[in-house]
């Protein structure tokens, strides 16, 4: 029961650790996702900001309403991050940076459009760029916390960050075009270079990310990947390229609001792909947690069941076997002492135990019926001694009797000058039991004992030494070497084949060890060890 409990507790502790690790990974991955979502909300806020900076200050215009909605989404995302104690300080610093940038946006967008110059618009857009850049320590902190406890998530986390950065640089490409569109001026070389730099990063990030998303087995990731290819690279990138080409002359043909409304929807698949990728990771972790929870429940239930079964077996053994045996032992001792007056009744005994008590009571009656109580006591003592010295299955001596005999011979000095011993093991006896059944195995043991006794010399002593092991103490006369005796015994076992009561026959072989030693004090253990070797 202690071993079962120890094994069960070990397994339970292992599955519990797996469950806790998976639950912790889910929590950290969810927190990482919230951080990435907040960073993308801040990046997405630049779209309506660009539209507002490119139009007259109309309080309830569609662009301003859209900006308010995007700001509310950003605030909600940051509020969720502030609830985490480990991220609260970094989040507060980011919110302060965002507040200053918004103040600059509101101050500039409140002026008439004609009063806004390119430098002011560029300064405000750079301030919004700076807000996203300020979110990077937040992302790094969440990524470090995630990877410190679960390095297996590093691939998924890096792909998710690449997709988030891809969304940011795609948005920056559009922001670099807003200022020339707003003032209907050609794009200057410096801004064109910044656009090309952002486009290079988008292309490089996509080449890395699509290796993980393009061949992913998850259907949602596959659908989001195709949407990125179709909408962003099929529609959004061509629009950015056409707008960049139009910037050579400054004839864009659309307002900042129209450009923003056209380009921003093509960024959505990038966010959807990132979310789908993280969703797949969370789903896998939840499946692992569910499997660990089921295993934990099953192992706990199995451990409890095993302990209950062992307790039931222990109780049953005490009731059905050990107590009746102790009672029978007491009655045997009483009978040996001549106490035959009290009837022998095995109360509660079943099966073989009942038969044992019935046999003891029959013996008691025989002792009463016979008038020679002394002779009966002597005979009973002799039978009990024989039972103690004899193997019940094969009828030969048991190991204890053989060892007592060897000790007695050594004490009395009646052994030869040199004594020999043969140990033999029946080969593949477990296979005989497994193939033909334990009844056939018992037949093999009894037949083996019979053949050995028949083949031995007069004076040699045979005993059952273990389960399928026999020992022959060589005390007979004749000068025959132990090796030759062992060879004769081996042939006697091998031929003819053993006939089974259930039908059929089988060949039985055995492995032998022989030893011969000078008869000295404590020679018996050395003799057994030598034969065993």
């Amino acid at each position: 029961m202690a071993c079962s409990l120890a094994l069960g507790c070990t397994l339970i502790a292992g599955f519990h650790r797996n469950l806790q690790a998976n639950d912790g990974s889910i929590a950290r991955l969810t927190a990482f996702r919230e951080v990435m979502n907040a960073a993308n909300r801040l990046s997405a806020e630049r779209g309506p900001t660009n539209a507002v900076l490119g139009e007259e200050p109309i309080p309830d215009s569609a662009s301003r309403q859209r900006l308010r909605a995007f700001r509310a989404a950003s605030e909600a995302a940051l509020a969720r991050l502030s609830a985490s104690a480990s991220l609260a300080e970094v989040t507060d610093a980011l919110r302060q940076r965002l507040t200053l940038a918004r103040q600059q946006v509101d101050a500039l967008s409140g002026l008439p459009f004609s009063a806004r110059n390119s430098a002011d618009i560029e300064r405000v857009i750079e301030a919004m760029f700076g807000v996203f850049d300020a979110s990077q320590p937040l992302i790094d902190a969440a990524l470090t916390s995630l990877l410190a406890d679960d390095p297996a998530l590093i691939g998924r986390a890096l792909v998710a960050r690449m997709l988030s950065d891809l969304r940011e640089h795609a948005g920056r490409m559009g922001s670099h075009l807003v200022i020339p569109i707003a003032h209907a001026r050609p794009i200057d070389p410096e801004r064109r270079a910044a656009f090309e730099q952002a486009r290079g990063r988008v292309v490089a990030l996509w080449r890395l990310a699509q290796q993980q998303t393009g061949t992913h087995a998850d259907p949602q990731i596959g659908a989001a990947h195709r949407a990125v290819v179709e909408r962003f690279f099929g529609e959004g990138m061509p629009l950015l390229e056409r707008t960049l080409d139009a910037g050579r002359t400054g004839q864009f043909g659309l307002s900042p609001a129209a450009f923003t409304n056209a380009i921003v929807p093509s960024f959505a698949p990038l966010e959807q792909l990132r979310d789908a990728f993280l969703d797949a990771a969370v789903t896998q972790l939840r499946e692992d947690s569910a499997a660990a929870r089921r295993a934990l429940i099953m192992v706990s239930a199995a451990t409890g069941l095993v302990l209950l079964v062992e307790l039931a077996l222990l109780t049953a053994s005490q009731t059905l076997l050990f107590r009746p045996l102790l009672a029978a032992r007491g009655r045997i001792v009483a009978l040996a002492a001549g106490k035959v007056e009290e009837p022998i009744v095995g109360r509660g005994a079943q099966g073989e135990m009942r038969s044992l008590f019935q046999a003891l009571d029959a013996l008691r009656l025989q002792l009463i019926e016979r008038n020679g109580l002394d002779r009966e006591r002597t005979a009973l003592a002799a039978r009990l001694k024989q039972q103690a010295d004899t193997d019940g299955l094969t009828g030969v001596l048991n190991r204890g009797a053989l060892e007592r005999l060897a000790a007695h011979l050594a004490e009395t000095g009646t052994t030869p000058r040199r004594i020999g011993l043969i140990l033999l093991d029946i080969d593949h006896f477990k296979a005989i039991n497994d193939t033909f059944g334990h009844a056939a195995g018992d037949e093999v043991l009894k037949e083996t004992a019979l053949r050995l006794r028949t083949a031995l010399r007069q004076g040699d002593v045979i005993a059952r030494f273990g389960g399928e092991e026999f020992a022959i103490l060589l005390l007979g006369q004749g000068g025959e070497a132990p090796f030759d005796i062992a060879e004769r015994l081996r042939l006697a076992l091998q031929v003819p084949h053993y006939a089974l009561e259930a039908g059929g026959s089988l060949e039985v072989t055995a492995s032998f060890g022989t030893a011969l030693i000078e008869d000295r004090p404590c020679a018996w253990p050395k003799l057994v060890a030598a034969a065993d070797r």
Side-chain angles (χ1 to χ4, degrees):
M1 291 178 69
C3 290
S4 298
L5 183 61
L7 177 60
C9 290
T10 300
L11 294 174
I12 290 171
F15 286 116
H16 187 261
R17 285 194 297 270
N18 290 341
L19 181 60
Q20 286 186 319
N22 284 329
D23 289 344
S25 295
I26 291 174
R28 287 184 292 273
L29 187 59
T30 302
F32 176 72
R33 179 176 179 173
E34 290 292 345
V35 171
M36 300 299 293
N37 181 64
N40 280 130
R41 290 304 94 216
L42 297 177
S43 177
E45 188 177 321
R46 289 202 308 270
T49 298
N50 294 338
V52 167
L53 292 175
E55 66 180 18
E56 294 293 342
I58 304 174
D60 292 328
S61 68
S63 298
R64 290 184 182 272
Q65 292 177 4
R66 192 160 176 262
L67 177 58
R68 286 193 290 270
F70 272 61
R71 286 182 174 181
S74 298
E75 289 296 334
L78 292 176
R80 288 191 293 270
L81 296 184
S82 297
S84 173
S86 60
L87 301 177
E89 183 177 353
V90 184
T91 303
D92 290 342
L94 177 61
R95 183 179 279 108
Q96 294 175 6
R97 183 74 173 268
L98 176 61
T99 301
L100 294 175
R102 285 176 176 175
Q103 290 174 354
Q104 296 180 43
V105 171
D106 294 339
L108 185 61
S109 63
L111 299 175
F113 182 73
S114 59
R116 307 171 198 164
N117 57 46
S118 299
D120 292 335
I121 296 177
E122 182 175 357
R123 176 176 50 79
V124 171
I125 291 177
E126 289 294 336
M128 292 301 296
F129 283 164
V131 171
F132 181 83
D133 293 338
S135 69
Q136 298 309 297
L138 194 62
I139 297 176
D140 292 338
L143 186 61
T144 301
S145 174
L146 176 65
L147 301 185
D149 294 322
D150 195 350
L153 293 176
I154 185 170
R156 297 179 183 273
L158 292 178
V159 170
R161 183 162 188 177
M162 282 192 293
L163 292 172
S164 180
D165 290 344
L166 196 155
R167 164 66 180 86
E168 165 63 15
H169 290 295
R172 292 194 179 195
M173 291 170 63
S175 297
H176 287 311
L177 299 176
V178 168
I179 298 174
I181 293 174
H183 293 277
R185 296 175 181 174
I187 301 176
D188 58 77
E190 182 179 355
R191 192 151 302 282
R192 184 179 293 273
F195 178 92
E196 293 294 347
Q197 183 181 19
R199 177 168 58 180
R201 290 183 178 178
V202 167
V203 173
L205 288 171
W206 178 242
R207 286 176 180 172
L208 294 174
Q210 70 174 347
Q211 295 176 5
Q212 299 294 325
T213 61
T215 58
H216 204 282
D218 188 272
Q220 294 183 349
I221 294 178
H225 177 88
R226 290 189 295 272
V228 171
V229 174
E230 294 172 2
R231 295 183 58 189
F232 177 69
F233 287 99
E235 299 175 6
M237 284 294 285
L239 175 59
L240 292 170
E241 297 287 352
R242 291 194 301 270
T243 306
L244 181 66
D245 290 340
R248 299 180 186 279
T249 62
Q251 301 297 321
F252 295 99
L254 72 171
S255 65
F259 172 73
T260 299
N261 294 335
I263 194 61
V264 167
S266 68
F267 299 155
L270 297 172
E271 298 182 17
Q272 294 168 2
L273 180 57
R274 181 208 64 201
D275 291 341
F277 202 80
L278 291 176
D279 285 341
V282 171
T283 300
Q284 182 62 49
L285 288 173
R286 286 175 176 167
E287 291 176 355
D288 293 343
S289 292
R293 186 174 289 104
R294 288 193 299 269
L296 178 62
I297 294 173
M298 291 177 62
V299 169
S300 301
T303 301
L305 180 61
V306 167
L307 291 174
L308 288 176
V309 170
E310 290 174 347
L311 182 61
L313 289 175
L314 178 60
T315 303
S317 298
Q318 289 181 328
T319 303
L320 301 178
L321 182 60
F322 296 119
R323 289 176 183 170
L325 281 176
L326 290 174
R329 174 184 177 276
R331 298 316 304 268
I332 291 173
V333 173
L335 289 176
K339 299 177 181 179
V340 296
E341 295 80 10
E342 185 180 353
I344 299 177
V345 180
R347 294 183 178 86
Q350 301 292 331
E352 294 181 1
M353 291 295 103
R354 179 188 293 274
S355 300
L356 174 61
F357 281 100
Q358 291 174 348
L360 290 175
D361 195 56
L363 178 60
R364 183 187 69 88
L365 294 175
Q366 289 179 6
L367 291 174
I368 292 175
E369 291 174 356
R370 296 177 184 179
N371 295 324
L373 292 177
D374 292 337
R375 291 195 305 272
E376 292 296 328
R377 289 194 194 102
T378 303
L380 175 61
R383 285 196 295 272
L384 291 175
K385 183 179 184 304
Q386 181 182 8
Q387 291 176 1
D389 291 345
T390 304
D391 176 63
L393 178 64
T394 60
V396 301
L397 294 182
N398 56 33
R399 180 172 183 170
L402 182 65
E403 292 176 343
R404 288 193 295 273
L405 174 61
H408 174 73
L409 293 176
E411 290 173 358
T412 58
T414 56
T415 57
R417 186 175 59 85
R418 303 177 73 191
I419 56 175
L421 179 68
I422 298 175
L423 293 181
L424 68 95
D425 253 315
I426 298 175
D427 296 332
H428 312 297
F429 185 74
K430 183 177 182 302
I432 295 175
N433 279 335
D434 293 344
T435 305
F436 300 96
H438 288 275
D442 291 345
E443 291 181 47
V444 169
L445 291 173
K446 290 188 286 186
E447 178 65 16
T448 299
L450 177 61
R451 293 191 183 191
L452 292 174
R453 281 187 295 188
T454 303
L456 286 175
R457 304 170 304 176
Q458 185 176 4
D460 292 339
V461 180
I462 179 174
R464 186 178 177 189
F465 215 58
E468 67 271 17
E469 187 177 16
F470 291 82
I472 297 95
L473 183 61
L474 302 176
L475 301 175
Q477 301 299 320
E480 191 175 9
F483 180 89
D484 297 329
I485 298 173
E487 179 62 12
R488 188 174 71 251
L489 297 179
R490 185 188 69 79
L491 293 175
L493 296 185
Q494 186 174 3
V495 181
H497 289 184
Y498 284 42
L500 301 178
E501 291 183 1
S505 63
L506 55 88
E507 181 184 30
V508 174
T509 63
S511 300
F512 292 73
T514 67
L516 192 65
I517 194 170
E518 295 290 335
D519 185 16
R520 296 176 180 176
C522 301
W524 174 250
K526 299 178 181 178
L527 182 63
V528 173
D532 193 44
R533 285 195 301 271

